[in-house]
Amino acid sequence: MRICMNIAEKYVEGLKKAYYKIGEKQEWDNFEKKAYGASSQDIENLKTIYPDMPNSLLDLLNIVDGTYWREYAGEEISLYFLGSDMEEYPYYLLSANQICESKDDFEWLSDYINREYDDIEVDARIIDKADKMCWLHFSDCMNNGGTSQLFIDFSPSHKGVKGQIVRFLHDPDELMVIADSFDEYLQMLMDKEYDFICEDDE
């Protein structure tokens, strides 16, 4: 019997308790019963595209292969699984395949990255050349990503850290670094006691 859990396992165990705490045991149990990890082929595809992707994200995807309108056992699942620095605002986890499919979908961010707009805040830790970007899109917010998305940034500016977590927010638009690594990001959500899971969301 394993005693020492990795950070992804600790995160999921804590998330389960957070769902139970708000009285959503049935929803979580149904999800847990049907969900499964990413296929070995999808994981290999992901590692080929993003060779520097963190082990903690791989570990998470090996537990559950996405919660963003993901079909498991013939049932479409949409479950809030992640959060950010914004209190009580939930996000979905993209599947390994969804992450791969979105690898070239960053053109809409080019003007922000290139600092084309003086009134839009972009963290100085983010590179200022869109053609040099290497980002991994792993999460969309509760309204299908229309308001906020989360990324792992493998191409930071000299002020940043490779692997930092970037949060895009719309209206007002901004790009901010919210953690230096995926491990630090998961720890932040645990330290905040999964505050994105609340009764009003369910």
Side-chain angles (χ1 to χ4, degrees):
M1 181 178 179
R2 285 189 62 193
I3 297 175
C4 184
M5 294 190 291
N6 61 44
I7 192 168
E9 291 169 330
K10 290 178 183 177
Y11 178 82
V12 174
E13 184 62 27
L15 183 60
K16 176 179 181 177
K17 292 176 180 177
Y19 268 95
Y20 275 32
K21 186 176 180 179
I22 66 166
E24 293 295 339
K25 179 179 184 299
Q26 183 176 353
E27 180 180 7
W28 178 270
D29 288 350
N30 178 63
F31 161 73
E32 190 174 55
K33 181 180 178 181
K34 291 183 167 61
Y36 48 80
S39 70
S40 57
Q41 185 60 61
D42 284 346
I43 290 292
E44 284 306 310
N45 291 342
L46 194 53
K47 290 166 69 175
T48 298
I49 297 170
Y50 297 106
D52 295 322
M53 72 175 296
N55 288 332
S56 47
L57 177 55
L58 287 172
D59 290 338
L60 205 57
L61 290 168
N62 277 317
I63 297 171
V64 52
D65 187 28
T67 66
Y68 186 51
W69 306 108
R70 174 71 161 84
E71 186 174 305
Y72 291 104
E75 180 180 339
E76 198 171 62
I77 297 288
S78 57
L79 184 94
Y80 299 143
F81 200 80
L82 297 169
S84 72
D85 57 325
M86 297 188 294
E87 188 175 353
E88 297 184 357
Y89 197 69
Y91 293 71
Y92 302 104
L93 171 68
L94 272 61
S95 69
N97 189 52
Q98 287 170 328
I99 293 171
C100 290
E101 288 179 343
S102 68
K103 69 181 179 65
D104 297 318
D105 293 344
F106 304 132
E107 187 175 345
W108 63 276
L109 284 168
S110 296
D111 288 346
Y112 301 113
I113 299 299
N114 292 331
R115 312 304 200 270
E116 297 290 338
Y117 308 110
D118 294 334
D119 59 339
I120 293 177
E121 187 174 2
V122 180
D123 199 304
R125 290 170 286 182
I126 296 171
I127 198 171
D128 60 0
K129 294 179 175 60
D131 60 343
K132 303 294 185 183
M133 281 176 66
C134 181
W135 285 19
L136 181 157
H137 173 210
F138 68 90
S139 183
D140 279 347
C141 70
M142 62 188 295
N143 67 343
N144 303 319
T147 300
S148 187
Q149 297 181 356
L150 301 174
F151 307 89
I152 301 177
D153 177 9
F154 299 111
S155 54
S157 74
H158 69 280
K159 295 182 178 180
V161 178
K162 188 175 182 178
Q164 64 193 9
I165 307 303
V166 175
R167 187 250 303 139
F168 166 74
L169 181 66
H170 173 59
D171 196 20
D173 290 2
E174 65 176 20
L175 281 166
M176 300 299 297
V177 174
I178 61 172
D180 284 342
S181 67
F182 196 78
D183 285 38
E184 184 178 296
Y185 163 71
L186 290 181
Q187 189 62 55
M188 175 186 75
L189 300 182
M190 290 189 283
D191 290 345
K192 286 160 62 71
E193 298 182 342
Y194 306 87
D195 68 358
F196 59 93
I197 298 299
C198 54
E199 294 179 62
D200 291 341
D201 293 331
E202 302 304 321

